[in-house]
Amino acid sequence: MLSMMKRHDIQTLKKAGHTHGDIAEHLGVSKRSVDRVVQEPPVDNIDCPAARTRRRIGRPSKVAAFQEQVRKTLEGEPGLPSLELLRRARMWGYDGGKSAFYTMVRELRPPKAHVVMRFEAVPGEFSQHDFGEVRVRYLDGSTERVVFFATRMKFSRWVVVSLVPNQTAETLVRTTCEHFEAIGGVPLLAVFDRPKTVALEWRKDGTVTRFNPIFAGAMFEMGVGVEVCWPYAPQQKGAVEKLVGWVKGSFFKVRRFQDRDDLEAQLQAWLREMNEERPSRATGVAPATRMLTERARLRPLKVRPDQLAVRRPVHVGPTAMVSLEGAQYSMPPDAAGWSGTAWLYPDRVEVVAGQHRAVHPRLPSGGKSTLPEHRAARLAHVSGRRGKSYLMRQDIMELGDIALTLLDELVHRRPTAWHADVVVLHGLLQLHGEGPLRLAMHMAVAERRFSGEAVASHLVHVAVGGVPQEALPC
């Protein structure tokens, strides 16, 4: 169907004296269309729908005959689905297309009223928390994906933002705890969005039926009440999501950074400005002014961030090792096969399985921690000189490539006598630990001295800190 602008062009060219053939060729329309348009009244409005209706241009709509019936149906049943309306229209005799019918229904259906609830909190009532992610381009042209976690007190608008490594449940609860400590206490309720790090299952009315156990345990330890936004309800989630958008728009998107260190320094300066100097647009005063009132209503934080433990169920394997986040931690041999619980702290891991308990330094993925007493207990479980020798050799081999190099030379240089050196090395491992022994091995291998005695001699220098610079591993 020709638009009103095209009809206007045809009539204008006709007035200028062009033939119908010239007009059709110039405008890319058929000559029959030109013949018809020049007979129509002059175009006085280029609003196509309104003009077509008033001028009765085009084929009659099939839906027009059913418009009154659909209107009356919607008045009685305003929530009736469009698909059901189409089914009824087919029964009434409608044989047109779905798109035209749905367009008519959309125009006739009474609009839904979306009420946005806006409210102000009283001091110490609410805090808002959420993750954000932004790609930052530094001045040297390099880019970095930066993840941050933001907290804002609803009453005072005091905000805390931290750069974090990821968006896991543990990062969420630890950063929340750190923010509450920085703020000076906890409110009545902490408001979160509804990711899997917070809620796992909920009913149709939005009530959470199963929280993420890491999140729930940590909130209980901190003494914080939780309120979770309903899914698919932007009028409720808006405050939390707007916090992330505000941080992005007010800081990340408008500033330029030399590198990551410069970004962190500017972030701290920006937070001081936002909290202590610049008036909030919502309250008209700086957050620090209202924070004096709000802090008096905050409750004490029940656990310090460095003492907050994240609980994980674990199983002690047949080798008496527990696998946790890609790292391995030893347990007594008698604990093999037991199930237990691991408490993850920022700097350590405590594992309890039955009556057995072990405390390890927390390691990154790929790390392995074996306590000396667990090595001794495993050795006592093995009978026979040969079995004990191979178990001790395995303990040493787990120290890494330098241990493998030393053992390889020992076994091939002394095929029948390496057992004695392994006993010496295992004793040094139990006495001095992995780090000093590994360094002493580097020094002995650098001198091409492959024996337990050579490694023991270098451990004296390692213990007193007199390690020659040339002996340190590259």
Side-chain angles (χ1 to χ4, degrees), residues 396-408 438 441-442 445:
I396 297 166
M397 196 176 297
E398 290 176 355
L399 297 181
D401 291 341
I402 189 61
L404 181 60
T405 300
L406 180 62
L407 290 171
D408 181 50
R438 192 180 290 112
M441 286 180 175
H442 274 285
V445 169

Side-chain angles (χ1 to χ4, degrees), residues 437-453:
L437 180 60
R438 192 180 290 112
L439 182 55
M441 286 180 175
H442 274 285
M443 297 163 66
V445 169
E447 296 177 350
R448 307 294 297 172
R449 297 171 62 200
F450 304 102
S451 68
E453 181 182 353

Side-chain angles (χ1 to χ4, degrees), residues 122-125 153 155-156 183-188 288-300:
V122 299
E125 184 180 13
M153 302 303 297
F155 174 78
S156 63
I183 289 170
V186 299
L188 292 175
T289 302
R290 281 192 156 202
M291 194 60 179
L292 295 174
T293 303
E294 182 148 59
R295 191 168 282 124
R297 282 294 190 180
L298 299 179
R299 295 170 295 125

Side-chain angles (χ1 to χ4, degrees), residues 174-415:
R174 291 203 183 283
T175 313
T176 299
C177 190
E178 292 169 0
H179 285 188
F180 282 143
E181 184 180 54
I183 289 170
V186 299
L188 292 175
L189 292 172
V191 182
F192 294 87
D193 201 351
R194 197 177 289 253
K196 292 296 185 181
T197 50
V198 173
L200 300 178
E201 296 175 1
W202 52 85
R203 294 197 291 265
K204 290 184 178 180
D205 64 356
T207 303
V208 176
T209 56
R210 187 159 71 97
F211 280 99
N212 184 304
I214 295 175
F215 175 83
M219 293 298 118
F220 176 78
E221 282 198 55
M222 285 187 273
V224 182
V226 173
E227 184 168 294
V228 181
C229 296
W230 283 17
Y232 320 117
Q235 69 271 25
Q236 297 176 28
K237 296 171 62 177
V240 175
E241 294 175 343
K242 189 176 180 180
L243 169 61
V244 171
W246 174 72
V247 174
K248 288 181 180 180
S250 299
F251 177 71
F252 286 103
K253 298 296 187 181
V254 298
R255 296 203 176 200
R256 299 294 177 266
F257 313 104
Q258 293 284 350
D259 49 29
R260 178 68 175 240
D261 291 339
D262 181 45
L263 188 156
E264 293 181 359
Q266 288 199 47
L267 177 59
Q268 296 308 311
W270 177 76
L271 288 172
R272 285 193 297 271
E273 179 184 351
M274 293 297 102
N275 287 330
E276 301 175 9
E277 301 173 14
R278 183 172 297 183
S280 166
R281 293 177 61 182
T283 65
V285 297
T289 302
R290 281 192 156 202
M291 194 60 179
L292 295 174
T293 303
E294 182 148 59
R295 191 168 282 124
R297 282 294 190 180
L298 299 179
R299 295 170 295 125
L301 185 63
K302 290 186 177 181
V303 60
R304 299 198 315 271
D306 61 336
Q307 294 299 315
L308 178 64
V310 171
R311 301 181 184 184
R312 295 281 180 82
V314 294
H315 180 77
V316 185
T319 59
M321 300 296 291
V322 168
S323 295
L324 196 60
E325 296 185 329
Q328 290 188 303
Y329 302 93
S330 68
M331 290 292 288
D334 291 340
W338 286 65
S339 294
T341 303
W343 280 265
L344 279 67
Y345 296 88
D347 60 343
R348 67 188 188 278
V349 174
E350 296 184 14
V351 183
V352 176
Q355 72 272 28
H356 305 288
R357 178 178 178 273
V359 181
H360 294 266
R362 189 166 181 181
L363 302 178
S365 179
K368 186 173 185 178
S369 174
T370 304
L371 300 181
E373 58 268 28
H374 296 165
R375 286 198 198 96
R378 281 191 314 195
L379 197 60
H381 271 63
V382 177
S383 60
R385 175 176 175 273
R386 182 180 177 84
K388 291 181 182 294
S389 294
Y390 278 102
L391 180 58
M392 287 189 286
R393 193 175 82 170
Q394 182 62 34
D395 286 340
I396 297 166
M397 196 176 297
E398 290 176 355
L399 297 181
D401 291 341
I402 189 61
L404 181 60
T405 300
L406 180 62
L407 290 171
D408 181 50
E409 293 290 340
L410 271 175
V411 170
H412 287 280
R413 288 172 183 240
R414 305 176 186 179

